[in-house]
Amino acid sequence: MQIISFTPVLMNLIEKIRKPIEKEIEQFEKSSTEELKTENPLLKNISNYLQLGKGKQLRPILVLLSAKLCGEVTESTIYGAISLELIHTASLIHDDVVDNTFQRRGLPSINAQWNNKVAILAGDHILSKSLSCGIKSQNTRILEAIANVGMNLTDGELLQLDKVQHAQLTEDDYFEIIHKKTALLFSSCALIGGLSVKADKDSLMHLFHFGEYAGICFQMKDDLFDYSENNKIGKPTRNDIKDGKITLPLIYALKNADESQKHEIEKWIENKDFSDFHIEEIVKFVRENGGLEYTFQKMEEYKNKAIEELNSFADNELKQSMIFFADFMSNRDF
Ligand code: FPP
Ligand code: MG
């Protein structure tokens, strides 16, 4: 039972992205299922439940594409991909507890389906499994990159907790947070793909930046979703605002609105005064002050920067898939 409905055009784009790595995705899925086998009945249930809403697997796809762009996919690539997908899964399970969210990928989140205690412990277990797969990659640079992802995810989340509930949050603060909480995971996927096939230093650098810029697009798109009326994304909209989380559309609108209009919104944010009426007023304020257009324009800029990082690679179907990948990150509607 896959709950999220995919629009045909975008589904087609995903199929195009996956095409040159179909065989490797199968290998990844087989090894992944093997790694998640457990005798613990609760973990088994959670693992089966996670399979129902397993998402688009963009991160392992990026690992596999980057590896194959530079060589032949190895066991080390597969374990790197499993490790990254698992650290991502663990972070989302914990994130829904931190954000007090009850829906993920069109299903009740783990904290909603079970409870917070189960979600924290299951997330811990999956995180440990991720590290174990990192070790199985038998490459200390890969393991180092995975540990670095874990540190940055938590660093970014703590920064967010500390800073984003204040109307004075700047665009620089926003970029620092999204680099840590989202972009580094994508840049590490591309880097680890390259490391797993011993790509040269120059290629590793370009892969890293490709993932970084594509990751920034992904987060901006996610932040735009919060302002949309789209019910296809499989998680509630307006959640960031309700939580007092200020993202680029609102940062821009606050910077550019006139003082009187801005003052009232800032007061609601500082007092965490988020009634349904105030939330819809904030959405209107962001729309009227160009916050959505600005974020969209920035996202396009980063997509183009990501694609430019591929200039030094030979033109082939792998590179074409990476270009589709960057396109998907900013055009997805789920
Ligand atoms: C989604 O962001 C969440 C993240 C990008 C990272 C969350 C990280 C943690 C909670 C730290 C835990 C880390 C480990 C290694 C277990 P979002 O809340 O903006 O997006 P959403 O709408 O998808 O929830
Ligand atoms: Mg969240």
PDB file of all heavy atoms in Angstrom, residues 66-85:
ATOM      1  N   SER A  66      26.199   8.781  -8.624  1.00  0.00           N
ATOM      2  CA  SER A  66      27.530   9.403  -8.520  1.00  0.00           C
ATOM      3  C   SER A  66      28.624   8.358  -8.671  1.00  0.00           C
ATOM      4  O   SER A  66      29.649   8.617  -9.314  1.00  0.00           O
ATOM      5  CB  SER A  66      27.694  10.108  -7.169  1.00  0.00           C
ATOM      6  OG  SER A  66      26.660  11.009  -6.981  1.00  0.00           O
ATOM      7  N   ALA A  67      28.394   7.190  -8.057  1.00  0.00           N
ATOM      8  CA  ALA A  67      29.404   6.121  -8.162  1.00  0.00           C
ATOM      9  C   ALA A  67      29.530   5.682  -9.618  1.00  0.00           C
ATOM     10  O   ALA A  67      30.634   5.592 -10.164  1.00  0.00           O
ATOM     11  CB  ALA A  67      29.009   4.946  -7.266  1.00  0.00           C
ATOM     12  N   LYS A  68      28.392   5.445 -10.253  1.00  0.00           N
ATOM     13  CA  LYS A  68      28.436   4.908 -11.628  1.00  0.00           C
ATOM     14  C   LYS A  68      28.924   5.953 -12.632  1.00  0.00           C
ATOM     15  O   LYS A  68      29.471   5.597 -13.673  1.00  0.00           O
ATOM     16  CB  LYS A  68      27.054   4.360 -12.018  1.00  0.00           C
ATOM     17  CG  LYS A  68      27.168   3.232 -13.033  1.00  0.00           C
ATOM     18  CD  LYS A  68      25.915   2.438 -13.194  1.00  0.00           C
ATOM     19  CE  LYS A  68      26.068   1.482 -14.369  1.00  0.00           C
ATOM     20  NZ  LYS A  68      24.841   0.738 -14.648  1.00  0.00           N
ATOM     21  N   LEU A  69      28.755   7.218 -12.279  1.00  0.00           N
ATOM     22  CA  LEU A  69      29.283   8.277 -13.152  1.00  0.00           C
ATOM     23  C   LEU A  69      30.816   8.195 -13.209  1.00  0.00           C
ATOM     24  O   LEU A  69      31.441   8.575 -14.190  1.00  0.00           O
ATOM     25  CB  LEU A  69      28.848   9.650 -12.611  1.00  0.00           C
ATOM     26  CG  LEU A  69      29.197  10.896 -13.414  1.00  0.00           C
ATOM     27  CD1 LEU A  69      28.405  10.939 -14.721  1.00  0.00           C
ATOM     28  CD2 LEU A  69      28.914  12.167 -12.619  1.00  0.00           C
ATOM     29  N   CYS A  70      31.410   7.682 -12.113  1.00  0.00           N
ATOM     30  CA  CYS A  70      32.888   7.662 -12.021  1.00  0.00           C
ATOM     31  C   CYS A  70      33.483   6.260 -12.080  1.00  0.00           C
ATOM     32  O   CYS A  70      34.689   6.095 -11.979  1.00  0.00           O
ATOM     33  CB  CYS A  70      33.332   8.307 -10.707  1.00  0.00           C
ATOM     34  SG  CYS A  70      32.779   9.988 -10.499  1.00  0.00           S
ATOM     35  N   GLY A  71      32.673   5.224 -12.135  1.00  0.00           N
ATOM     36  CA  GLY A  71      33.244   3.870 -12.160  1.00  0.00           C
ATOM     37  C   GLY A  71      32.164   2.805 -12.055  1.00  0.00           C
ATOM     38  O   GLY A  71      31.017   3.050 -12.417  1.00  0.00           O
ATOM     39  N   GLU A  72      32.532   1.627 -11.528  1.00  0.00           N
ATOM     40  CA  GLU A  72      31.564   0.539 -11.375  1.00  0.00           C
ATOM     41  C   GLU A  72      31.117   0.464  -9.918  1.00  0.00           C
ATOM     42  O   GLU A  72      31.955   0.496  -9.010  1.00  0.00           O
ATOM     43  CB  GLU A  72      32.210  -0.799 -11.768  1.00  0.00           C
ATOM     44  CG  GLU A  72      32.200  -1.095 -13.267  1.00  0.00           C
ATOM     45  CD  GLU A  72      30.787  -1.083 -13.873  1.00  0.00           C
ATOM     46  OE1 GLU A  72      29.903  -1.774 -13.328  1.00  0.00           O
ATOM     47  OE2 GLU A  72      30.585  -0.367 -14.876  1.00  0.00           O
ATOM     48  N   VAL A  73      29.819   0.369  -9.692  1.00  0.00           N
ATOM     49  CA  VAL A  73      29.283   0.275  -8.326  1.00  0.00           C
ATOM     50  C   VAL A  73      29.867  -0.957  -7.621  1.00  0.00           C
ATOM     51  O   VAL A  73      29.941  -2.034  -8.198  1.00  0.00           O
ATOM     52  CB  VAL A  73      27.736   0.212  -8.386  1.00  0.00           C
ATOM     53  CG1 VAL A  73      27.132  -0.243  -7.071  1.00  0.00           C
ATOM     54  CG2 VAL A  73      27.190   1.587  -8.777  1.00  0.00           C
ATOM     55  N   THR A  74      30.311  -0.747  -6.365  1.00  0.00           N
ATOM     56  CA  THR A  74      30.941  -1.828  -5.596  1.00  0.00           C
ATOM     57  C   THR A  74      30.082  -2.142  -4.362  1.00  0.00           C
ATOM     58  O   THR A  74      29.100  -1.437  -4.099  1.00  0.00           O
ATOM     59  CB  THR A  74      32.317  -1.369  -5.093  1.00  0.00           C
ATOM     60  OG1 THR A  74      32.089  -0.222  -4.239  1.00  0.00           O
ATOM     61  CG2 THR A  74      33.232  -0.965  -6.238  1.00  0.00           C
ATOM     62  N   GLU A  75      30.497  -3.150  -3.587  1.00  0.00           N
ATOM     63  CA  GLU A  75      29.823  -3.445  -2.296  1.00  0.00           C
ATOM     64  C   GLU A  75      29.901  -2.235  -1.384  1.00  0.00           C
ATOM     65  O   GLU A  75      28.977  -1.938  -0.637  1.00  0.00           O
ATOM     66  CB  GLU A  75      30.558  -4.599  -1.606  1.00  0.00           C
ATOM     67  CG  GLU A  75      30.034  -5.945  -1.951  1.00  0.00           C
ATOM     68  CD  GLU A  75      29.821  -6.834  -0.740  1.00  0.00           C
ATOM     69  OE1 GLU A  75      30.594  -6.751   0.235  1.00  0.00           O
ATOM     70  OE2 GLU A  75      28.854  -7.601  -0.783  1.00  0.00           O
ATOM     71  N   SER A  76      31.035  -1.548  -1.467  1.00  0.00           N
ATOM     72  CA  SER A  76      31.246  -0.365  -0.652  1.00  0.00           C
ATOM     73  C   SER A  76      30.196   0.710  -0.996  1.00  0.00           C
ATOM     74  O   SER A  76      29.656   1.387  -0.104  1.00  0.00           O
ATOM     75  CB  SER A  76      32.662   0.123  -0.963  1.00  0.00           C
ATOM     76  OG  SER A  76      33.016   1.161  -0.169  1.00  0.00           O
ATOM     77  N   THR A  77      29.862   0.837  -2.279  1.00  0.00           N
ATOM     78  CA  THR A  77      28.829   1.809  -2.703  1.00  0.00           C
ATOM     79  C   THR A  77      27.487   1.415  -2.076  1.00  0.00           C
ATOM     80  O   THR A  77      26.765   2.267  -1.543  1.00  0.00           O
ATOM     81  CB  THR A  77      28.643   1.796  -4.246  1.00  0.00           C
ATOM     82  OG1 THR A  77      29.903   1.704  -4.898  1.00  0.00           O
ATOM     83  CG2 THR A  77      27.872   2.988  -4.724  1.00  0.00           C
ATOM     84  N   ILE A  78      27.165   0.116  -2.166  1.00  0.00           N
ATOM     85  CA  ILE A  78      25.854  -0.345  -1.677  1.00  0.00           C
ATOM     86  C   ILE A  78      25.737  -0.098  -0.165  1.00  0.00           C
ATOM     87  O   ILE A  78      24.736   0.446   0.308  1.00  0.00           O
ATOM     88  CB  ILE A  78      25.650  -1.852  -1.999  1.00  0.00           C
ATOM     89  CG1 ILE A  78      25.697  -2.096  -3.513  1.00  0.00           C
ATOM     90  CG2 ILE A  78      24.352  -2.385  -1.373  1.00  0.00           C
ATOM     91  CD1 ILE A  78      24.537  -1.532  -4.320  1.00  0.00           C
ATOM     92  N   TYR A  79      26.808  -0.450   0.591  1.00  0.00           N
ATOM     93  CA  TYR A  79      26.732  -0.224   2.048  1.00  0.00           C
ATOM     94  C   TYR A  79      26.696   1.273   2.381  1.00  0.00           C
ATOM     95  O   TYR A  79      26.023   1.689   3.324  1.00  0.00           O
ATOM     96  CB  TYR A  79      27.879  -0.933   2.778  1.00  0.00           C
ATOM     97  CG  TYR A  79      27.579  -2.410   2.944  1.00  0.00           C
ATOM     98  CD1 TYR A  79      28.366  -3.374   2.341  1.00  0.00           C
ATOM     99  CD2 TYR A  79      26.468  -2.822   3.687  1.00  0.00           C
ATOM    100  CE1 TYR A  79      28.072  -4.727   2.478  1.00  0.00           C
ATOM    101  CE2 TYR A  79      26.164  -4.166   3.821  1.00  0.00           C
ATOM    102  CZ  TYR A  79      26.963  -5.116   3.221  1.00  0.00           C
ATOM    103  OH  TYR A  79      26.657  -6.441   3.359  1.00  0.00           O
ATOM    104  N   GLY A  80      27.414   2.082   1.597  1.00  0.00           N
ATOM    105  CA  GLY A  80      27.364   3.535   1.801  1.00  0.00           C
ATOM    106  C   GLY A  80      25.936   4.035   1.583  1.00  0.00           C
ATOM    107  O   GLY A  80      25.407   4.825   2.370  1.00  0.00           O
ATOM    108  N   ALA A  81      25.286   3.525   0.520  1.00  0.00           N
ATOM    109  CA  ALA A  81      23.916   3.957   0.198  1.00  0.00           C
ATOM    110  C   ALA A  81      22.944   3.527   1.304  1.00  0.00           C
ATOM    111  O   ALA A  81      22.079   4.311   1.724  1.00  0.00           O
ATOM    112  CB  ALA A  81      23.487   3.371  -1.148  1.00  0.00           C
ATOM    113  N   ILE A  82      23.104   2.283   1.798  1.00  0.00           N
ATOM    114  CA  ILE A  82      22.188   1.817   2.869  1.00  0.00           C
ATOM    115  C   ILE A  82      22.402   2.670   4.122  1.00  0.00           C
ATOM    116  O   ILE A  82      21.447   3.131   4.752  1.00  0.00           O
ATOM    117  CB  ILE A  82      22.421   0.321   3.204  1.00  0.00           C
ATOM    118  CG1 ILE A  82      22.182  -0.544   1.961  1.00  0.00           C
ATOM    119  CG2 ILE A  82      21.517  -0.134   4.347  1.00  0.00           C
ATOM    120  CD1 ILE A  82      22.515  -2.021   2.149  1.00  0.00           C
ATOM    121  N   SER A  83      23.666   2.913   4.439  1.00  0.00           N
ATOM    122  CA  SER A  83      23.969   3.692   5.641  1.00  0.00           C
ATOM    123  C   SER A  83      23.327   5.087   5.572  1.00  0.00           C
ATOM    124  O   SER A  83      22.716   5.555   6.545  1.00  0.00           O
ATOM    125  CB  SER A  83      25.491   3.799   5.771  1.00  0.00           C
ATOM    126  OG  SER A  83      25.793   4.591   6.865  1.00  0.00           O
ATOM    127  N   LEU A  84      23.440   5.735   4.419  1.00  0.00           N
ATOM    128  CA  LEU A  84      22.881   7.091   4.287  1.00  0.00           C
ATOM    129  C   LEU A  84      21.356   7.087   4.329  1.00  0.00           C
ATOM    130  O   LEU A  84      20.742   7.966   4.928  1.00  0.00           O
ATOM    131  CB  LEU A  84      23.388   7.732   2.994  1.00  0.00           C
ATOM    132  CG  LEU A  84      24.856   8.151   3.089  1.00  0.00           C
ATOM    133  CD1 LEU A  84      25.481   8.270   1.723  1.00  0.00           C
ATOM    134  CD2 LEU A  84      24.992   9.467   3.859  1.00  0.00           C
ATOM    135  N   GLU A  85      20.742   6.074   3.699  1.00  0.00           N
ATOM    136  CA  GLU A  85      19.275   6.015   3.730  1.00  0.00           C
ATOM    137  C   GLU A  85      18.809   5.790   5.180  1.00  0.00           C
ATOM    138  O   GLU A  85      17.813   6.365   5.624  1.00  0.00           O
ATOM    139  CB  GLU A  85      18.772   4.898   2.794  1.00  0.00           C
ATOM    140  CG  GLU A  85      17.264   4.740   2.718  1.00  0.00           C
ATOM    141  CD  GLU A  85      16.498   5.952   2.141  1.00  0.00           C
ATOM    142  OE1 GLU A  85      17.129   6.924   1.698  1.00  0.00           O
ATOM    143  OE2 GLU A  85      15.255   5.910   2.166  1.00  0.00           O
TER     144      GLU A  85
END
